[in-house]
């Protein structure tokens, strides 16, 4: 067929490029034509000589390794073509390629003179035609397989099978048959046909994994680059095949085929039953011609990377090319064209892996360095070299995953925590009301719930708990009481020291002894008969027990002792203070026995003494006794057992007060008070009546004139005395029915029994109102101080007087020593100036009666220094340093001032040297830079410009100093000093700027002096001085702050906080941990009432003395001070300026001795109070609550009140 | 931007790997992926820094054909890039022809099989002289072609010369030209070989260069 007008060359070239590289490649045309015989025929027609495709493919007709110079075409051999009518264009009949390897199935080389591109296109169309079936299908397949075998793009390894999917089952079966019959070398070609078929049928197996690596080419005069991508397919014929979608037209030389074969053979065994396809591209376009075996190593590396691995922390470096021939033993051999390839790698900024060069000198060192060449001797080394140090994507993804996981996990944890915290907060907030609701039924649980609220961080829970603990009068329950078990009844339920109580357990005929501190069972004594009464003897050694109607005596101190049964008949027992035992029978006379040794009847009295329900119907006081002899109460003389009076009262219980007042609990629950004089007279009736039918079951007098009355419904505390009886409060404000309230011997604690609950201990007074333990004579008290490390208390008084007390037993202080007027009680009407103490309490300074001041050593109470009066000015001590080495005084002008007038007062610093002669310490000659100039004028010396001309210097004749001639004859100035003292230096070591009415205090470190002076508009100025070098005080900071009339200054023990009280309103606290920047922490430390006179700190507790009251503040959170307790005195002795707290929690207060008169006479008393329960509550309120409750919060209560929170111990 | 595309841009993986990813650090990839900016390929040579082909008298210099620049200018997947110019009776076609290859076709409307067309070609690998041989193209014309591996092409063709000029040609130029001639053009070289004695060194050079 004569050729039609050929298309212009440009069109042929263009069409060829399109058919080879797209868009609209021959493969795509074949795929679109698959299954359509007409389309397939149309495609095949385009390959006919002179057709457009044939003409186009002619532009790429070379076969690798063949001369491209055309020769005279041989005569057409019709037999050489396949069965169809395809004829090769004469111009494309090129010399035949090199002989093919032995092929059993392909006896004839298909189209030996055809160009490579045309041949590939024809092979593809042959596969299409074969897919349609027909008689020549096998030949078509053979012809197609022959092309790719000839194209050297398949390994020569005998591959097995031509696996193909069901959609193309007929061609699959055909290929399988051909494969079975084919020689080993031809099977790869048939396998590729299987891939082609699936690709044409759009059924290419899915990609499982992919490897990609750059490759380098040698393009004769230059280098080239490309990308090799290997894809592991899910299924398909095992083997290494070119990707038919892009590699259809690739032709290569024999060495390339051998390289493929070697690469496939050296691939891991895991790949040998897998189908791997590859494609080679440059700039995204598939290569169509390649030669040489330098890609063998690249294929080997790619296949090694495709092999399944567990972790892929390192991947192939996409900027690392390997170019080397791969040998069957996996060793690498040098490839050709390395310089060109290296140049290309440098241009591409790739690094290169090479086989060791046979002649290293042929490679320029600069090129090797620029290409970052690494040499690998074998495939494994090449793989290692081609991999990244760490797969960036892997790392990035791992980091991202880790980050995401961390974020998610952290978020989840945070959300969980937040949720849990929110739940806890919600629970915690609800615990306070819950505690309030259960307090009347279960005070122990109420405390524990508040403690739990503190543990869970409920806002405001701590002050609530502290307040509860302080105010709480519930002191713990005897949870070990089982079933019906009652205390003995009456005061003698308690051992005389209050440490034990005894109870009766009728069900088991047992007497049990309990420890009141731990509320635990100490001992159980089996009595084997009905026990109806028991009582501790006055000496506490014996427990008298009424068992089976007789008296038994049990030695208490011997834990192994057994009760000794006597013949004394007794249903109830009670000891008289003189040791006689009152045995009460059943409607019999009251018999008194001496039970020391063999019981001996002393006497009897009465006729029908009724046994009491809860308390024995008898009470004793001094030489008097009272007992119930219904319908009367009989008062009798204990010694003579003679009735003194019969009181017509239907009584149920009796009690004598320490003053002899007889309280009679009536059967109608009222209580009468009788003066037991002659004749007895009823003085009062406590008009609190329980519901009808209830009796006043127990009575007891507490300390401070209180009376505890328990009916069968409630218990109350009454204040009795000179005034009308006043009901103070309920003793045990719980909902349970009260049976009795047996007071401890000290009258401060009651054992209260309830209807169905274990008995519990209740304090008659709360900790929040501590009663005075003892009252000491004070005199004109100017200060009080507990000496650290000792049990001693120092009380200073006017005129340099001092008294030392030992308060080891606060109830019985011992007067150790006194100096000064009135045996340490001070000059009557002397100076009211307060004494100041050194931080270590070894020294104190006080004003003397001469208007001067002195420093005393506490040890020996000896005076160590004197600061004389300065002219008209009195010298008032303001502060003493921690070690007593530095004294701060002010000059107080006492004369010539109008009332309310304030005048600036000079503040002097004096060096205190014990036992040394004074040495003149010159004042600072020059002020350090940046410091406030401190005055260096001598005290009392007016400024030079104010001194009248001609007036001699002040020091030559200090004002107020008596003239020498007025001195007693024969005395020297030194002799005027108190004996044993060291006169002060003639001048102070430094003088601070004068201010009016200053408050001065040393910080605990002794190097910091704080001066607070009142401003003029409701403010004050605090100035902190560093006096480490007393001669050169340096201003550290000065702050103005709002405060009404600043009061005294106190420091926390660690010196990091400073408190300035206010005389009229709120006080303030400063954070002075950074002295360069003191910060006002809080300004709401307010007094309960009135003027702050003094402060003392103990741990986190700040105690303020106001007029008439003591205020105790919890300063644990300095930004949120909480008032813990406010209490006043029990009498008219009003608190005033001086107080101190001992480390053991003893509060010593100075109080006006004669009421308001004391304010004019300065006469004071000293009272001691035990505030340790308050301090304990402030220190650790949870522990205090747990101690009261006696146990931790039970799990059941956790579940009830804190659902969703895992129970855990809250008690320390 | 979908997550998949974002990751593709970020890590430069996947079948639709974008241009300009390779060679950039992860940080720049991150920002370019985040902002949707295509980074220019690092491997693209800078045409401005490439030497221009020397221009001699009678030479026609064609505008530069830059594959990378044309690709960057293209908005999507490019068609096969082709540019054409006409100078006198010569029609020049420069086009991408395969992986990393650029073809230069010179068509004349007369029989030029007895002529040689010298050309100075500058690629990213330098400037080299070539000789283009014409083969019959259509009934009335001739075509000469070169196929070069290059990223860009600067071509300056000179006045045609008779085939006898081959005698004075540099053998390296002949070798380079034969290697760069596509298969259809090889018939022209075959004709030149056929017109020379069997032991002619030029013919041997041509044969050796043809493989």
């Amino acid at each position: 067929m004569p050729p039609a007008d050929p298309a212009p060359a440009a069109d042929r070239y263009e069409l060829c490029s399109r058919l080879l590289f797209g868009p609209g490649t021959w493969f795509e045309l074949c795929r679109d034509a698959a299954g359509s015989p007409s389309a397939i025929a149309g495609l095949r027609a385009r390959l006919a000589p002179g057709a457009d495709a044939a003409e186009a493919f002619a532009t790429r007709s070379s076969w690798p390794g063949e001369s491209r110079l055309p020769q005279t075409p041989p005569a057409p051999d019709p037999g050489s073509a396949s069965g169809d009518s395809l004829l090769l264009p004469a111009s494309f009949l090129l010399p035949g390629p090199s002989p093919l390897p032995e092929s059993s199935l392909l006896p004839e080389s298909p189209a030996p003179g055809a160009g490579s591109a045309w041949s590939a296109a024809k092979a593809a169309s042959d596969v299409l035609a074969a897919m349609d079936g027909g008689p020549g299908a096998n030949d078509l397949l053979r012809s197609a397989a022959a092309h790719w075998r000839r194209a050297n793009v398949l390994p020569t390894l005998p591959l097995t099978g031509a696996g193909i999917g069901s959609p193309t089952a007929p061609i699959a079966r055909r290929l399988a048959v051909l494969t079975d019959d084919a020689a080993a070398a031809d099977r790869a070609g048939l396998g590729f046909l299987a891939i082609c078929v699936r690709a044409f049928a759009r059924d290419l197996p899915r990609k499982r994994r992919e490897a990609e690596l750059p490759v380098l080419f040698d393009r004769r005069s230059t280098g080239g680059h490309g990308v090799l991508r290997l894809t592991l397919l899910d299924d398909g014929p095992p083997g290494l095949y070119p990707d038919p979608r892009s590699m259809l037209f690739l032709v290569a030389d024999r060495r390339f085929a051998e390289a493929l074969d070697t690469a496939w053979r050296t691939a891991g065994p895991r790949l040998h039953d897998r189908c791997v396809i590859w494609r080679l591209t440059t700039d995204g376009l598939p290569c169509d011609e390649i030669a040489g075996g330098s890609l063998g190593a690249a294929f080997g590396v790619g296949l090694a990377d495709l092999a399944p691995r567990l972790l892929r922390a390192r991947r192939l470096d996409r900027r690392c090319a390997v170019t080397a021939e791969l040998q069957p033993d996996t060793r690498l051999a040098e490839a050709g064209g390395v310089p060109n390839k290296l140049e290309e790698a440098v241009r591409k900024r790739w690094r290169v892996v090479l086989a060791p060069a046979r002649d290293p000198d042929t490679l320029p060192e600069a090129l090797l360095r620029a290409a970052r060449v690494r040499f690998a001797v074998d495939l494994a080394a090449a793989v290692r070299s081609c991999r990244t140090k760490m797969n960036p994507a892997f790392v990035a993804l791992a980091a991202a995953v880790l980050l995401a996981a961390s974020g998610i996990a952290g978020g989840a944890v945070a959300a969980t925590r937040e949720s849990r915290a929110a739940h806890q907060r919600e629970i915690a907030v609800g615990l306070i009301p819950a505690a309030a609701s259960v307090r009347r039924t279960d005070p122990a649980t109420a405390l524990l719930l508040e403690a739990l609220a503190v543990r869970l961080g409920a806002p405001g829970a701590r002050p609530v708990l502290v307040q509860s603990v302080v105010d709480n009068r519930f002191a713990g329950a005897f949870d070990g009481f089982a079933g019906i078990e009652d205390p003995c009844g009456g005061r003698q339920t308690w051992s005389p020291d209050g440490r034990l109580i005894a109870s009766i357990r009728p069900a088991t005929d047992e007497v049990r002894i309990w420890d009141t501190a731990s509320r635990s069972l100490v001992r159980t004594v089996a009595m084997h008969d009905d026990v109806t009464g028991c009582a501790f003897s006055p000496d506490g050694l014996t427990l008298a027990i009424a068992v089976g109607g007789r008296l038994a005596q049990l030695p208490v101190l011997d834990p192994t002792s057994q009760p000794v049964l006597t013949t004394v008949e007794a249903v109830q027992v009670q000891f008289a203070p003189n040791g006689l035992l009152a045995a009460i029978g059943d409607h019999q006379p009251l018999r008194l026995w001496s039970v020391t040794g063999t019981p001996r009847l002393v006497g009897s009295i009465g006729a029908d003494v009724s046994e009491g329900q809860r308390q024995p119907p008898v009470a004793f006081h001094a030489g008097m006794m009272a007992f119930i002899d219904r319908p009367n109460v009989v008062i009798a003389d204990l010694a003579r057992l003679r009735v003194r009076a019969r009181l017509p009262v239907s009584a149920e219980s009796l009690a004598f007060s320490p003053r002899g007042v007889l309280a009679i609990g009536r059967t109608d629950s009222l209580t009468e008070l009788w003066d037991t004089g002659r004749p007895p007279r009823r003085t009062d009736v406590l008009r609190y009546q329980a519901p009808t039918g209830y009796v006043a079951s127990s009575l007891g007098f507490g300390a401070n004139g209180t009376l505890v009355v328990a009916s069968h419904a409630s218990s109350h505390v009454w204040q009795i005395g000179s005034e009308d009886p006043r009901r103070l409060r309920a003793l045990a404000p719980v909902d349970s029915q009260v049976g009795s309230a047996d007071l401890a011997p000290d009258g401060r604690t009651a054992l209260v029994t309830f209807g169905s609950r274990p008995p519990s201990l209740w304090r008659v007074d709360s900790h929040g109102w501590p009663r005075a333990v003892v009252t000491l004579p004070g005199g004109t008290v100017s200060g009080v101080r507990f000496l650290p490390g000792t049990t001693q208390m120092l009380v200073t008084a006017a005129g340099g007087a001092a008294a030392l007390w030992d308060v080891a037993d606060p109830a019985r202080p011992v007067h150790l020593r006194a100096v000064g007027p009135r045996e340490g009680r001070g000059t009557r009407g002397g100076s009211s100036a307060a004494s100041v103490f050194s931080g270590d309490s070894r020294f104190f300074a006080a004003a003397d009666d001469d208007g001067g001041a002195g420093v005393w050593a506490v040890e020996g109470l000896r005076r160590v220094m004197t600061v004389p009066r300065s002219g008209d000015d009195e010298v008032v001590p303001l502060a003493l340093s921690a070690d007593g080495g530095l004294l701060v005084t002010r000059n107080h002008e006492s004369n010539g001032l109008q009332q309310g007038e304030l005048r600036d007062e000079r503040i002097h610093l004096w060096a205190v040297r014990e036992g040394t002669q004074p040495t003149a310490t010159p004042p600072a000659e020059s002020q350090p830079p940046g410091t406030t100039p401190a005055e260096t004028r001598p005290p009392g010396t007016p400024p030079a410009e104010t001194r009248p001309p001609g007036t001699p210097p002040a020091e030559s004749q200090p004002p107020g100093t008596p003239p020498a001639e007025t001195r007693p004859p024969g005395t020297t100035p030194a002799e005027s000093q108190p004996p044993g003292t060291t006169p002060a230096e003639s001048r102070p070591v430094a003088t601070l700027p004068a201010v009016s009415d200053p408050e001065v205090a040393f910080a605990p470190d002794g190097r910091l002096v704080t001066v607070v002076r009142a401003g003029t508009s409701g403010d004050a100025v605090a100035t902190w001085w560093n006096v480490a070098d007393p001669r050169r005080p340096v201003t550290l900071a000065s702050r103005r702050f709002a405060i009404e009339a600043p009061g005294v200054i106190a420091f926390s023990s660690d010196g990091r906080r400073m408190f300035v009280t206010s005389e009229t309103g709120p006080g303030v606290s400063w954070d002075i941990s950074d002295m360069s920047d003191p910060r006002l922490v809080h300004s709401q430390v307010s007094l309960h009432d009135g003027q702050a006179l003094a402060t003392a700190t103990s741990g986190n507790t700040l105690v303020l003395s106001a007029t008439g009251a003591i205020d105790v503040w919890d300063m644990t959170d300095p930004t949120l001070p909480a008032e813990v307790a406010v209490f006043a005195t029990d009498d008219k002795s009003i608190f005033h300026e001086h107080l101190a707290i001992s480390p053991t929690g003893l509060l010593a207060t100075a109080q006006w001795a004669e009421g308001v008169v004391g304010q004019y006479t300065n006469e004071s008393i000293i009272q001691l109070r035990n505030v340790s329960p308050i301090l304990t509550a402030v220190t650790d309120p949870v522990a205090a609550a747990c101690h009261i409750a006696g146990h931790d919060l039970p799990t059941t209560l956790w579940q009830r009140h804190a659902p969703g929170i895992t129970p855990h111990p809250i008690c320390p | 931007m979908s997550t998949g595309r974002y990751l593709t841009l970020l890590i430069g993986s996947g079948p639709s790997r974008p241009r300009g990813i390779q060679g950039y650090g992860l940080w720049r990839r991150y920002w370019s992926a985040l902002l949707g900016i295509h980074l220019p390929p690092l491997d693209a040579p800078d045409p401005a820094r490439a030497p221009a082909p020397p221009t001699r008298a009678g030479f026609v210099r064609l505008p530069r054909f830059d594959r990378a620049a044309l690709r960057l200018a293209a908005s999507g997947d490019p068609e096969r890039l082709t540019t054409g110019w006409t100078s006198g009776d010569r029609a020049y076609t420069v086009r991408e022809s395969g992986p990393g290859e650029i073809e230069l076709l010179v068509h004349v409307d007369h029989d030029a099989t007895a002529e040689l067309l010298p050309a100075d070609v500058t690629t990213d690998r330098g400037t080299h002289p070539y000789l283009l041989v014409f083969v019959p193209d259509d009934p009335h014309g001739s075509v000469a072609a070169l196929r070069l591996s290059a990223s860009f092409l600067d071509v300056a063709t000179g006045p045609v010369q008779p085939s006898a000029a081959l005698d004075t040609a540099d053998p390296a130029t002949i070798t380079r030209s034969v290697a760069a001639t596509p298969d259809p053009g090889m018939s022209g070289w075959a004709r030149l070989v056929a017109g020379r004695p069997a032991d002619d060194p030029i013919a041997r050079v041509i044969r050796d260069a043809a493989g």
Side-chain angles (χ1 to χ4, degrees), chain A residues 109-126:
Chain A
S109 296
S116 62
W118 181 88
S119 177
K122 178 180 177 298
S125 65
D126 287 348

Side-chain angles (χ1 to χ4, degrees), chain A residues 470-533:
Chain A
V470 170
D471 287 345
N472 171 72
R473 290 190 297 276
F474 171 76
F478 289 87
D479 295 325
F481 270 57
I484 299 176
E485 182 172 1
D486 294 317
C488 296
R491 177 163 288 192
Q492 291 177 27
T493 295
W494 297 74
S495 65
D497 57 5
R499 294 180 179 175
L500 302 174
I501 64 166
S503 66
I504 300 169
R505 196 175 181 195
T508 55
D509 295 334
E510 291 173 342
V511 171
R512 305 212 286 182
I513 299 175
W514 301 80
D515 181 84
T516 57
S518 62
R519 302 183 296 281
S520 59
L521 181 64
V522 175
R523 188 176 176 193
T524 299
V525 183
M527 302 305 298
H528 310 294
D529 206 343
D530 291 343
V531 181
T532 52

Side-chain angles (χ1 to χ4, degrees), chain A residues 168-543:
Chain A
T168 51
I171 189 72
R173 285 192 295 272
R174 192 182 299 277
L175 283 171
V177 172
L178 289 177
T179 303
D180 288 343
D181 297 340
D186 297 323
R187 289 178 178 168
L190 295 170
F192 179 67
L193 294 189
I195 294 288
C196 285
V197 167
R198 295 190 66 167
F200 289 149
R202 301 175 188 270
D203 185 34
L204 200 64
R206 286 188 309 166
K207 175 179 71 177
R208 172 171 291 186
R209 201 157 45 246
E210 204 167 61
E212 185 177 287
L213 65 164
V215 292
L216 294 169
F217 303 126
D218 173 30
R219 297 186 186 275
R220 299 189 185 96
S221 62
T222 184
H225 68 275
V227 175
L228 173 64
R229 177 180 293 175
L230 296 103
T231 305
L232 176 65
L233 301 182
D234 263 351
D235 58 5
L240 180 63
Y241 305 104
D243 187 342
R245 295 168 297 184
S246 53
M247 294 285 102
L248 211 57
F249 293 92
L250 179 65
V251 289
D253 61 356
R254 183 68 184 169
R255 291 173 62 195
F256 180 77
E258 291 170 354
L260 284 179
D261 195 58
T262 304
W264 185 246
R265 287 174 188 275
T266 56
R270 293 179 177 180
L271 287 180
H272 281 173
D273 57 347
R274 300 292 183 87
C275 177
V276 178
I277 60 175
W278 55 269
R279 71 171 182 166
L280 198 59
T281 58
T282 294
D283 297 335
L285 299 180
C287 295
D288 60 337
E289 182 178 350
I290 195 160
S294 65
L295 285 179
F299 273 95
V301 170
L303 289 173
D305 193 60
L306 272 188
R309 280 182 296 161
L310 187 60
L311 292 175
R312 293 179 173 271
R314 298 173 64 200
R315 65 160 173 79
L316 290 181
D317 186 355
R318 293 185 178 177
R319 305 194 64 79
C320 176
V322 54
T323 177
E325 294 185 6
L326 181 61
Q327 297 179 347
D329 60 355
T330 73
R331 297 183 69 82
L332 302 186
E334 185 181 14
V338 170
N340 284 341
K341 293 177 180 176
L342 293 182
E343 289 177 359
E344 179 72 9
V346 172
R347 278 190 291 270
K348 299 292 293 180
R349 303 176 192 173
W350 291 351
R351 61 187 182 93
V352 179
V353 175
L354 298 176
R358 285 184 289 272
D359 184 4
D361 296 336
T362 59
L363 299 177
E365 185 65 28
L367 200 57
L368 292 175
R369 196 165 45 247
R372 291 169 291 164
V373 172
R374 298 175 68 176
F375 294 97
V377 296
D378 56 10
L379 182 60
V383 170
R384 287 195 299 271
S385 298
C386 286
R387 283 189 174 144
T388 56
K389 288 182 180 177
M390 189 62 72
N391 185 346
F394 175 84
V395 172
L397 287 175
V401 169
L402 186 62
L403 194 62
S406 304
I408 293 171
V413 170
T416 303
R417 285 184 176 175
E418 179 60 29
S419 171
R420 191 175 299 166
H423 177 66
Q424 282 196 3
R425 283 195 297 272
E426 185 179 348
I427 292 292
V429 167
L431 288 173
I432 302 299
S437 66
V438 303
R439 192 178 305 280
R440 290 181 63 84
T441 57
D442 192 346
T445 296
L447 284 173
L448 290 176
L449 290 180
E450 289 175 347
L452 177 59
V454 172
R455 286 284 192 247
L456 296 182
R462 179 184 161 86
V464 170
L465 178 60
V466 171
Q467 200 69 52
S468 294
V469 171
V470 170
D471 287 345
N472 171 72
R473 290 190 297 276
F474 171 76
F478 289 87
D479 295 325
F481 270 57
I484 299 176
E485 182 172 1
D486 294 317
C488 296
R491 177 163 288 192
Q492 291 177 27
T493 295
W494 297 74
S495 65
D497 57 5
R499 294 180 179 175
L500 302 174
I501 64 166
S503 66
I504 300 169
R505 196 175 181 195
T508 55
D509 295 334
E510 291 173 342
V511 171
R512 305 212 286 182
I513 299 175
W514 301 80
D515 181 84
T516 57
S518 62
R519 302 183 296 281
S520 59
L521 181 64
V522 175
R523 188 176 176 193
T524 299
V525 183
M527 302 305 298
H528 310 294
D529 206 343
D530 291 343
V531 181
T532 52
C534 54
F536 279 97
S537 65
D539 57 7
L541 301 177
T542 307
L543 181 67

Side-chain angles (χ1 to χ4, degrees), chain A residues 887-1158:
Chain A
L887 171 67
V888 182
T889 64
R890 65 181 168 99
N891 279 13
H892 177 63
E893 188 174 356
S894 55
N895 299 324
L897 288 180
Q898 302 295 323
Q899 185 175 5
E901 181 184 1
L902 293 177
R903 187 167 296 175
D904 285 353
E905 298 168 331
R906 285 181 291 275
I907 301 174
H908 300 298
L909 272 62
W910 303 83
V912 179
R913 290 187 174 81
E914 182 183 5
T916 59
Q917 284 300 113
T919 56
T921 305
E925 296 176 357
S926 62
Q927 196 68 21
T931 62
T932 302
E935 296 180 14
T936 55
R937 278 182 283 109
T941 305
E945 59 269 23
T946 61
R947 195 163 60 231
T951 305
E955 54 268 31
S956 63
Q957 184 64 52
T961 304
E965 55 272 23
T966 61
R967 200 176 300 136
T971 63
T972 62
E975 291 172 352
S976 65
Q977 294 291 118
T981 67
T982 301
E985 299 170 358
S986 57
R987 292 186 297 176
V989 294
T991 300
L992 303 183
V995 295
S996 64
D997 196 17
E999 290 288 343
V1000 179
F1002 273 96
D1005 64 359
R1007 296 192 298 271
L1008 181 73
V1009 169
T1010 305
V1011 179
V1012 175
R1013 64 174 174 85
T1016 55
S1017 54
D1019 60 356
V1021 176
T1023 305
W1024 289 270
W1025 294 83
N1026 184 343
V1027 293
D1029 181 358
R1031 295 183 302 171
R1032 294 178 177 81
V1034 178
T1035 304
L1036 295 176
S1038 184
R1039 296 286 187 274
R1040 182 179 295 274
F1041 59 103
I1043 190 170
E1044 291 286 343
V1048 291
I1049 303 171
F1051 291 88
S1052 62
S1053 54
D1054 59 2
R1056 301 172 71 87
R1057 257 196 329 271
M1058 185 185 85
F1059 311 101
V1060 182
T1061 65
S1062 168
E1063 295 180 357
T1064 59
V1068 301
S1069 61
W1070 288 86
D1071 180 356
I1072 57 171
S1073 49
D1074 178 6
M1075 266 323 305
S1076 63
D1077 183 23
R1079 291 185 300 110
L1080 194 63
V1081 178
H1082 200 262
S1083 59
Q1084 297 302 315
V1085 183
S1086 59
L1087 286 176
H1088 183 260
D1089 180 25
Q1091 179 184 18
L1093 298 174
T1095 62
T1097 57
S1098 175
N1100 292 325
T1101 309
L1102 174 66
V1103 180
L1104 302 174
S1105 166
T1107 304
I1110 295 287
D1111 231 347
V1112 183
W1113 287 84
D1114 175 11
M1115 302 295 292
T1116 305
D1117 181 358
T1119 63
L1120 196 65
E1123 193 176 50
V1124 177
V1126 180
F1127 55 90
T1129 60
D1130 300 324
D1131 46 31
K1132 296 177 180 177
S1133 51
I1134 303 169
F1135 291 121
H1136 72 94
E1137 199 168 351
H1138 311 294
L1139 57 83
I1141 296 183
S1142 77
T1144 59
L1146 210 56
L1147 173 67
T1149 56
Q1151 300 164 223
W1152 299 124
E1154 303 156 0
V1156 294
V1157 177

Side-chain angles (χ1 to χ4, degrees), chain A residues 9 12-14 17-18 21-22 59-62 67-69 212 219 222-223 283 285-286 318-319 344 348, chain B residues 12 17 23 43 67 71 79-80 95 97-99 103 105 125 137 147 149 178 181-184 186 210-211:
Chain A
R12 294 198 302 271
Y13 277 76
E14 169 62 17
S17 294
R18 286 182 179 276
F21 310 117
T59 63
R60 292 176 183 264
S61 58
S62 302
S67 173
R68 298 166 60 229
L69 287 176
E212 185 177 287
R219 297 186 186 275
T222 184
D283 297 335
L285 299 180
R318 293 185 178 177
R319 305 194 64 79
E344 179 72 9
K348 299 292 293 180
Chain B
R17 190 185 67 216
D43 53 351
R67 294 169 59 228
R71 280 190 171 183
E79 293 287 322
R80 192 143 309 282
R95 48 181 294 280
S97 65
E103 283 177 341
L105 302 177
R125 294 173 178 85
D137 183 23
R147 182 179 292 161
S149 295
V178 171
T181 303
D183 290 337
M186 293 303 291

